[in-house]
Amino acid sequence: MALFNQLYQIKGLHAEKVRKLTELLSCRNIDVFYISIVLGLWQNLSANVDNDSKIEPAKIDPEQMIRYGREIEYFYELVMLNDKKGSVSLKERINKAFRIRGTEAAGPDEERFTQIMLGGLDFFYDSIVENTNSKEDIFNNICELIQTYLVTYPEKE
């Protein structure tokens, strides 16, 4: 899939959010990318790309994109299967997830994937960073986010 075997750039204000999250959480850009996809799916969120060229993009190296390519493809499949924007039928969503990905026809779907990741990134940032004054606040925000997720999707015995 062409989108996931090359340098991936998160632009504009979203790049600043990635940098802040990686700094506060001591993680990598790709970790923020993963979490953002899951949160975007969970919360059914999306955001438009901010192409502000004055802000240095946050980058994920091609080597990381390739190394984690199968996992990213899995997330892509989940996004395509769950995205009902435009009242797309299940058959069309299956085609988007498994048949046309990586082709020229998949361009709008790849943009949609990015929008969902960016929506998740906004939610992640707002949930963790907004209204924090200390590392303890950040820790409490992470715990609250995890607790909310666990209440929404409890473990099955």
Side-chain angles (χ1 to χ4, degrees), residues 65-81:
M65 295 300 287
I66 292 167
R67 184 178 317 126
Y68 299 102
R70 183 59 207 129
E71 292 87 351
I72 296 168
E73 285 180 8
Y74 176 72
F75 287 133
Y76 181 87
E77 292 162 0
L78 287 176
V79 167
M80 291 302 110
L81 290 170

Side-chain angles (χ1 to χ4, degrees), residues 75-135:
F75 287 133
Y76 181 87
E77 292 162 0
L78 287 176
V79 167
M80 291 302 110
L81 290 170
N82 286 290
D83 186 29
K84 296 176 182 142
K85 184 178 179 186
S87 300
V88 179
S89 71
L90 177 59
K91 183 177 181 180
E92 289 174 287
R93 293 193 319 262
I94 290 170
N95 282 334
K96 288 178 176 210
F98 300 106
R99 293 195 178 100
I100 67 168
R101 71 176 185 200
T103 68
E104 250 181 69
D109 300 328
E110 292 174 355
E111 288 175 26
R112 183 71 181 140
F113 176 82
T114 296
Q115 291 171 342
I116 289 171
M117 182 275 297
L118 293 174
L121 175 59
D122 288 340
F123 178 78
F124 188 26
Y125 182 87
D126 292 346
S127 298
I128 304 302
V129 178
E130 289 295 308
N131 302 317
T132 59
N133 297 313
S134 67
K135 290 196 181 252

Side-chain angles (χ1 to χ4, degrees), residues 3-37:
L3 180 65
F4 306 125
N5 63 8
Q6 59 190 355
L7 177 69
Y8 191 87
Q9 297 187 60
I10 301 169
K11 300 176 181 177
L13 293 175
H14 291 107
E16 290 182 346
K17 290 178 180 184
V18 168
R19 277 191 279 284
K20 185 70 171 175
L21 285 164
T22 57
E23 175 189 325
L24 290 172
L25 304 176
S26 299
C27 63
R28 305 168 298 172
N29 291 353
I30 195 149
D31 301 321
V32 171
F33 177 80
Y34 275 177
I35 294 167
S36 297
I37 296 165

